[in-house]
Amino acid sequence: MAEAAFMASETLWQEIRGEAQRAAAADPVFGKALAGAVLVHDDFTAALADLIGRRLGGSAAERERFTAVSRDAFRGQPDLVQAAGRDLRAVVLRDPAVAGLLPPLLHFKGYVALQAWRVSHWLWHHDQRDAALLLQNEASNVLQVSIHPAASLGSSVYLDHATGIVIGANVVIGDEVTILQNVSIGRSSQLPARSPRVGRGVFIGSGATIFGDISVGDFAKIGAGTVVTGDVPAGCTAIGNPARLTNCPKPASAA
């Protein structure tokens, strides 16, 4: 398993380098920026840590600090790098406007915000909570994406456009989930465990709100502007405020 994961990461890195080399050859001016972001690094781990540092750090010292803590997290838990690779491929798979790996890696703030969250989550669970919250705060300030370090997200997650996304503590989000801009997911009480649980393959449209001790089943769809405060069964579509269910694979009660 570890060898397969390494090979997948190495294959991804070679694809990214190939795209960067072709882009640099086609545009020498832009190529200088590519060299600093991609081609100077030995592997995907180093490039990803540097990306987080450059996007979140407002000064040279801050950039180095965020890069170093990201590198420590990736080395401490290599699964984070594997998840980052799956996240990147998910963007290419689900966004018809994206033709390669390089643009979302370098330019999609939802992607870097998600990887910064992965680092903050690692810090949170390694008794470095102040550092975890600092990372969350900087991602919120700079990228307009706020994901609490105590949330739990799977892999192959795609934050599309990403501005205004808020995911609270103890929210659980499964693999292959797509979340558009201005989405809020969090608890509706003072009990942190009572937070939404979002299943695999769920699509959450722009401006949607999901609150409370509820479950959104696998492959459900949440329409734009929908307010969900009750369970959404697997495969159903929830629309409106308050949410109502449609297109369910079997009869279901209102959300």
Side-chain angles (χ1 to χ4, degrees):
M1 178 69 85
E3 183 178 354
F6 172 79
M7 291 302 296
S9 180
E10 183 62 21
T11 298
L12 176 76
W13 177 238
Q14 292 307 318
E15 290 180 37
I16 292 169
R17 283 187 60 84
E19 289 185 24
Q21 289 167 344
R22 290 190 294 274
D27 186 343
V29 175
F30 184 52
K32 184 177 180 181
L34 287 176
V38 174
L39 298 177
V40 299
H41 298 295
D42 294 330
D43 54 27
F44 185 49
T45 298
L48 195 58
D50 179 63
L51 173 67
I52 293 171
R54 286 187 295 105
R55 292 299 296 269
L56 297 190
S59 65
E62 288 179 348
R63 288 193 293 273
E64 178 56 35
R65 180 181 183 185
F66 288 131
T67 299
V69 74
S70 299
R71 190 185 306 118
D72 289 345
F74 296 147
R75 289 174 178 171
Q77 188 176 338
D79 287 353
L80 298 179
V81 180
Q82 307 307 321
R86 290 189 288 270
D87 293 336
L88 189 59
R89 290 201 183 278
V91 178
V92 179
L93 179 66
R94 294 181 215 154
D95 191 335
V98 174
L101 298 163
L102 198 61
L105 174 66
L106 297 183
H107 308 305
F108 282 27
K109 68 177 182 178
Y111 178 75
V112 70
L114 182 57
Q115 308 324 312
W117 168 80
R118 295 196 184 283
V119 174
S120 75
H121 185 70
W122 182 87
L123 291 166
W124 185 265
H125 289 283
H126 284 79
D127 296 323
Q128 300 183 59
R129 296 195 169 188
D130 288 339
L133 291 171
L134 174 63
L135 212 63
Q136 177 199 6
N137 182 67
E138 290 305 309
S140 179
N141 288 339
V142 176
L143 304 172
Q144 296 86 51
V145 177
S146 180
I147 309 175
H148 196 281
S152 177
L153 282 72
S155 64
S156 298
V157 173
Y158 178 24
L159 307 182
D160 190 8
H161 299 291
T163 298
I165 291 176
V166 178
I167 300 174
N170 301 104
V171 170
V172 176
I173 293 176
D175 297 336
E176 301 171 19
V177 170
T178 299
I179 303 175
L180 273 64
Q181 68 271 19
N182 295 317
V183 166
S184 296
I185 308 174
R187 67 194 188 201
S188 59
S189 73
Q190 295 302 312
L191 299 176
R194 294 184 177 177
S195 297
R197 298 164 299 283
V198 178
R200 177 186 176 195
V202 172
F203 177 91
I204 304 175
S206 60
T209 299
I210 303 173
F211 278 161
D213 183 14
I214 63 172
S215 295
V216 178
D218 294 349
F219 303 105
K221 294 180 175 63
I222 310 299
T226 297
V227 177
V228 180
T229 57
D231 292 344
V232 178
C236 288
T237 298
I239 56 173
N241 179 12
R244 65 184 187 277
L245 302 180
T246 185
N247 296 333
C248 291
K250 58 183 179 180
S253 60

